Amino acid sequence: MRMGRITKKRKPSSSSSYNSSNNKKKNIKKADTQNPNPPKFSSPTLVVGQVSSNVITSVLAPRLTELAVKSVEEYADRAMSLADSLSEGDANQKKTEDDDGEEAEGADYEAEVDLDGNIITPSSSSSIPTPPLNNDDGPILLFTTQENLEDFSTLLSDTASHFSSSSYKVHANAAKFERLLDEKYGRFRPLIESHPQIEVVFKNLQRKYAMGGFSPFRRSEDMPVNKTTAIMLLFMMHRNNVRFEALVLMALFCLVGLQPWALVTLVALGRWEMERRKGRKVKGMPKEFKVCEPYYTRDEDEKEVDKKSEGEERAEKYAFLSNPVGTKYNPADLSLRDEEHDVLLLGSGADTLYAGALLARAGRKVCVLSPTEDVSECTVMSAQQKQKPAKTKKAAKGGESGLALFANVPFDTRAMNISHPAKQQKLLAPALCTATDAQGGIRFARIGSSQDGYAHSVLSVPGLGTDGSSGSDRMIPVVINAEGPTSLAEFCATSLGDGFPGSTMDLDGNKKDTNDDNLDNVGNSTSLGYLKACRQINAGSAEYYLSKLFTATNNNASSESNAYKQSTIQRASAFLDKCLPLNPHVRSLMAAIGNPNENLSPGKTCMAAHVSHLCAMTSTEGMVYPVGGPRALCHSLASVIEQCGGRVVSGVALQELLFDKLPEVEKKPAKEDKKDYANNGEDHSGPKPRCKGIRLQNGCEITTTEEGAVLSTLGLLPTFLHLLPTDVRGAHGVCPGLPAVSERRPLLKILVGLRGTKEELDLTGADWYRLPNATLPRDELVAGETGKVQLGTIGVDDDGDAVGGDGDAVGGDGEEGETTTIAEDAATVGQGGGRGKRSKAATASAAPTTTKKQRSNKFASGRSWMKVSFPSAKDPSWSDRHPSISTCVITIEADDDFVRMFDTTPRIYSILNAPAGDAAERLKDRVLRDLVENFPQLSDKMECAQLTGPYRSGLVQNPARFAIRGNRPSTPYPGLFVGGADLTLGDSFSGGIVGGWLAANAIMGYSFLDLVYLQKNLTSDLERFLEEPCDVVVGDNGEVMEDLAVPFDAKEIEKKNDDAGNDEVPTHAAESSKEE
């Protein structure tokens, strides 16, 4: 076979293609002209492509005319048929009548009569012919004559001429428009016709909608910025701490492409939903909130109260303060065991009662179980303890002296100095509100007087203000008052060699008011600049403590740029050295102000606690004290709990918490890399049993409801080491991070009864502190390097020993210490401050102990940490309630004769039995000598003195306390919550109140959305739903009188201030806390 190229088809030439195209066009034209399949109802002469000018003339008229002619022809046929029928019928009828006549002559005729009496004539049998227009076999004929045909033809021609004219379209469009108006607007058509511009607006909206103008999303070409730019903008906003809501709206606008109107609509709907949810009550709240009566009038008859004089009423209110807060526990009373409570509160003090009052207001049945005899934590002198003999020969009125003079006199061992009173009153108001007063009759008096600038603290720091050549025993006392940071900076400039702050003179040469928080004009003052930096850091404290209510996911979503949150894991010494490197005196003073209530050096103190204390001490609001002392405040809170159906029981010996039993589940072996190192490397993951109540030492069990809760304000360590059963702790562990914290050394309180008023003894309401933990540091020049200074350590004495830390020595000999495990320590330390028995299980499972030499802690006169307060000088009602006497409370750290430290994880203290011999008396004598040395006017005024304690004082304020994840109200055990100052700041009234507020909100179950975005919490809900006081008292002059729980004479106090030579008008000693 021959192989060759593949032949290609030839293309037709241009001439052939032209001919073929012409042929196709001709064929198409011929086919169109023939019109093989004409359309229906078209003229026979219709040609495709040509439009007839008049369809009626060309199509409809011929057909209708043809039908009309047929109708006339059919009518003619019917008329002919009718004529024939009628002629034939007449002939038949005539014949019939002739036949009937013949028959009638030979027979009677019977006629038929109808109901009306008419004779019915019999009809003939012949049928009547049908008219030609009503033929049953066909349609009715419309055309019958030629005239009808002519009229119909005229009608067709007129109709054709009408529709062929231009006016037809106008009429048709008008009719269509009328129909459309009826269909669109219906009953609103008259409104549209009277306002035609509305029609235009609707048409524009319809046109916009058809073109996609109402879509909530933009088209890609209409985006304001491209995606890269949008992401960069969002990143920059995040770095500048823009709120999360603004970031979300920016992302919706730039990335998603929402229209502006859609964004505004979304914000409006969100705002509406937020306001709606704000006004909704949380689950468990009552429909109507109970209006509580004041605790001093709720048990009396209203008529009897009106009859009492002012003096009698004052005496009865004072008598309430002599009674301890709470009902003494009676083991024989089984009602406490038989009742079920919604919330059990374990603890004492104002923070515990505050949390209970909030929960009681919110509809919970609360029971407070306090281990102390007085829930207010006030202490009275015991007649069984040996007393300090009187130093004076003067006898009191009636011959009383010594202990008899101070019988049943309360000593405020907590020293309730309240900082930031405006914020605290706002928190306390929902819990204290009664029918007669927004604060339950409780008022707060400013500590100090206008002469001393309302001084509330006096700090004595070893070496401060001296050249240091004579040792660290010399010191210059520093008075902290309410004159603000600028006044403190001026003291640092004049006495400590710091730079001066900015000018305090305005443009007119007048001195500016320095009693404000404006720190803009720092000038050359390093101390004022440091205070300004601390204020900026402390601004994020509220957000940080609020985050303790969030879960781990929501907590991570909160702002990581919070400076206060970052300061919780840093030490105060680093911040002090960095900001104040030039002047060791200023550095030492700031360290003292930052932590006066604890003997802890800045090298161990958390920076967050340092900043918070410093801002509270230097605030222009100063410090306030409740009129009537802690008992007045706690009586009011306890009364709210009892009136809402709860109970407040004191003197309860707690043993251990009660838990539900979990169903037995086969435990899987845990992997080594997933151990919970917060619990000594043991894996305690999995479900935890629910806490259902508490067991007392007498065996009585007090339980809660199925959805109830147990709230412990005793502290983290007492709750998890003393109250948590050993088997539960061993199986399920403690809260995360607890082994990392340390317990603060317990405190001793020396109660001193003084003869004389505060004016006679020249006493002040300011607390006096000796702070070796802030001892002046010794800065040294580095040899060989010009100008380089080696900063000394704050809180180190002349011998180079640290004196500002737990377990550090201040005199005394060394002694051997020991270390134990958590289980052994928890079994060793007993409940209620006593030394418990060590169980066999705990001893058997204890790890081998190791010993190390440890320096003892002994009180050294003139050197050890010490605090002296005069509660009677702070209370303006004291002189009326207890004339001619005053009280003094001295606080020191417990010696090793009273407590024993266990260097465990966590480090805790065991409270020992009473020391042998006269160790307690010798310690009391040393403390009283220090008191007389610093307050010589008291040398012969002391009637009696008594040592009490030791008292547990919570956790050490080191970074570990704030860094652990378990220091939050919710615990790993369902139904168990913790509260109190351990959650916030130790030894602080404000810290305890905030801790109770956090715990109460956690029990009520407020969510992240409620707390952060809706600003909805327990106190805000109570403010919204509680009724305002309505039973106000009106005086004789028509003025509204304040219903005070503890009456006092504010005008008399002002008069004394004026007599002292104060030029300025002093403020009231007790400020009204009524919300206006």
Side-chain angles (χ1 to χ4, degrees), residues 961-1025:
R961 166 181 176 162
F962 295 87
I964 63 172
R965 294 185 293 109
N967 192 5
R968 50 187 297 144
S970 302
T971 67
Y973 295 93
L976 178 61
F977 298 85
V978 294
D982 275 357
L983 298 179
T984 53
L985 299 174
D987 201 8
S988 168
F989 175 86
S990 302
I993 291 297
V994 174
W997 182 88
L998 293 173
N1001 280 272
I1003 293 175
M1004 292 300 298
Y1006 285 90
S1007 64
F1008 176 80
L1009 178 64
D1010 294 333
L1011 295 169
V1012 176
Y1013 296 103
L1014 302 181
Q1015 302 296 320
K1016 177 183 174 69
N1017 50 61
L1018 184 52
T1019 50
S1020 66
D1021 281 353
L1022 291 178
E1023 288 178 359
R1024 180 179 291 107
F1025 300 124

Side-chain angles (χ1 to χ4, degrees), residues 206-318:
Q206 290 176 353
R207 187 181 301 108
K208 232 177 186 181
Y209 177 77
M211 298 174 62
F214 290 115
S215 174
F217 301 100
R218 295 172 180 264
R219 293 178 296 183
S220 57
E221 60 270 14
D222 295 337
M223 296 292 287
V225 294
N226 55 39
K227 290 187 177 181
T228 304
T229 306
I231 293 174
M232 293 178 63
L233 288 174
L234 290 173
F235 178 74
M236 294 170 63
M237 293 173 66
H238 177 69
R239 290 293 300 270
N240 289 319
N241 301 328
V242 178
R243 290 178 61 88
F244 179 73
E245 305 93 302
L247 288 176
V248 172
L249 293 176
M250 186 67 177
L252 291 174
F253 183 73
C254 294
L255 289 179
V256 180
L258 275 184
Q259 296 277 9
W261 64 267
L263 204 62
V264 172
T265 304
L266 184 64
V267 172
L269 291 176
R271 188 68 181 174
W272 173 79
E273 176 62 24
M274 289 171 61
E275 293 297 331
R276 189 181 68 86
R277 185 162 180 172
K278 272 186 179 180
R280 192 168 53 191
K281 295 181 181 179
V282 179
K283 180 181 178 182
M285 282 189 173
K287 295 182 179 180
E288 295 183 0
F289 289 85
K290 182 178 179 59
V291 179
C292 298
E293 298 294 331
Y295 72 89
Y296 44 86
T297 59
R298 65 187 180 97
D299 295 332
E300 300 177 359
D301 188 6
E302 185 177 356
K303 296 182 180 180
E304 295 181 358
V305 174
D306 295 337
K307 297 179 181 179
K308 295 178 182 177
S309 64
E310 183 179 354
E312 293 175 347
E313 183 180 354
R314 180 186 293 253
E316 288 188 0
K317 290 182 177 180
Y318 287 164

Side-chain angles (χ1 to χ4, degrees), residues 762-776:
D762 193 19
L763 299 180
T764 176
D767 294 338
W768 181 87
Y769 297 88
R770 182 168 59 211
L771 304 174
N773 56 310
T775 302
L776 183 70

Side-chain angles (χ1 to χ4, degrees), residues 89-412:
D90 292 341
N92 294 333
Q93 184 177 5
K94 186 177 180 181
K95 183 179 179 181
T96 303
E97 290 177 356
D98 294 339
D99 296 339
D100 293 339
E102 294 178 358
E103 294 178 359
E105 293 178 357
D108 295 334
Y109 177 77
E110 294 181 1
E112 295 182 1
V113 182
D114 58 8
L115 297 177
D116 297 331
N118 300 323
I119 299 175
I120 300 176
T121 304
S123 60
S124 59
S125 60
S126 60
S127 61
I128 300 175
T130 304
L133 294 179
N134 298 325
N135 190 2
D136 296 335
D137 298 337
I140 298 177
L141 301 178
L142 298 178
F143 303 97
T144 58
T145 62
Q146 183 66 27
E147 185 179 358
N148 295 141
L149 290 176
E150 293 175 357
D151 293 340
F152 182 66
S153 176
T154 304
L155 178 63
L156 289 176
S157 61
D158 293 342
T159 305
S161 61
H162 173 73
F163 284 105
S164 61
S165 62
S166 59
S167 61
Y168 159 71
K169 294 184 178 180
V170 176
H171 293 293
N173 290 334
K176 181 180 180 181
F177 182 73
E178 294 291 333
R179 188 181 71 252
L180 291 177
L181 284 179
D182 291 336
E183 293 177 356
K184 283 184 179 180
Y185 306 113
R187 65 180 65 181
F188 297 103
R189 179 181 173 181
L191 177 65
I192 302 298
E193 290 178 347
S194 59
H195 301 282
Q197 60 270 22
I198 300 178
E199 173 75 12
V200 178
V201 173
F202 276 112
K203 284 187 177 180
N204 292 335
L205 293 176
Q206 290 176 353
R207 187 181 301 108
K208 232 177 186 181
Y209 177 77
M211 298 174 62
F214 290 115
S215 174
F217 301 100
R218 295 172 180 264
R219 293 178 296 183
S220 57
E221 60 270 14
D222 295 337
M223 296 292 287
V225 294
N226 55 39
K227 290 187 177 181
T228 304
T229 306
I231 293 174
M232 293 178 63
L233 288 174
L234 290 173
F235 178 74
M236 294 170 63
M237 293 173 66
H238 177 69
R239 290 293 300 270
N240 289 319
N241 301 328
V242 178
R243 290 178 61 88
F244 179 73
E245 305 93 302
L247 288 176
V248 172
L249 293 176
M250 186 67 177
L252 291 174
F253 183 73
C254 294
L255 289 179
V256 180
L258 275 184
Q259 296 277 9
W261 64 267
L263 204 62
V264 172
T265 304
L266 184 64
V267 172
L269 291 176
R271 188 68 181 174
W272 173 79
E273 176 62 24
M274 289 171 61
E275 293 297 331
R276 189 181 68 86
R277 185 162 180 172
K278 272 186 179 180
R280 192 168 53 191
K281 295 181 181 179
V282 179
K283 180 181 178 182
M285 282 189 173
K287 295 182 179 180
E288 295 183 0
F289 289 85
K290 182 178 179 59
V291 179
C292 298
E293 298 294 331
Y295 72 89
Y296 44 86
T297 59
R298 65 187 180 97
D299 295 332
E300 300 177 359
D301 188 6
E302 185 177 356
K303 296 182 180 180
E304 295 181 358
V305 174
D306 295 337
K307 297 179 181 179
K308 295 178 182 177
S309 64
E310 183 179 354
E312 293 175 347
E313 183 180 354
R314 180 186 293 253
E316 288 188 0
K317 290 182 177 180
Y318 287 164
F320 274 102
L321 301 182
S322 61
N323 300 324
V325 180
T327 305
K328 179 68 176 178
Y329 173 66
N330 183 12
D333 185 9
L334 302 181
S335 61
L336 191 64
R337 181 196 64 182
D338 299 336
E339 294 179 1
E340 283 192 348
H341 307 273
D342 295 329
V343 181
L344 289 177
L345 274 83
L346 313 178
S348 56
D351 53 349
T352 304
L353 293 174
Y354 171 70
L358 289 180
L359 293 171
R361 293 272 195 185
R364 301 295 194 270
K365 187 177 181 181
V366 176
C367 179
V368 179
L369 302 177
S370 173
T372 60
E373 298 296 331
D374 188 351
V375 185
S376 67
E377 294 185 333
C378 288
T379 306
V380 296
M381 288 189 175
S382 174
Q384 299 177 358
Q385 191 178 125
K386 184 179 179 180
Q387 304 300 320
K388 180 72 179 176
K391 294 287 185 180
T392 179
K393 296 182 180 180
K394 297 181 180 180
K397 295 181 180 180
E400 292 181 335
S401 63
L403 184 60
L405 188 61
F406 290 89
N408 204 25
V409 174
F411 286 76
D412 178 14

Side-chain angles (χ1 to χ4, degrees), residues 452-455 478-496 498-502 504 511-519 521 525 527-528 531 535 589-590 593 617-620:
D452 57 15
Y454 297 101
V478 181
V479 178
I480 309 298
N481 54 27
E483 293 183 354
T486 305
S487 177
L488 182 62
E490 291 177 352
F491 168 81
C492 294
T494 56
S495 302
L496 304 181
D498 191 24
F500 282 89
T504 59
K511 186 176 181 180
K512 297 178 181 179
D513 185 11
T514 57
N515 294 334
D516 54 18
D517 293 337
N518 187 7
L519 305 181
N521 196 2
S525 175
S527 58
L528 192 60
L531 292 174
R535 292 286 179 91
L589 176 60
M590 295 302 161
I593 300 175
M617 294 281 285
T618 60
S619 173
T620 56

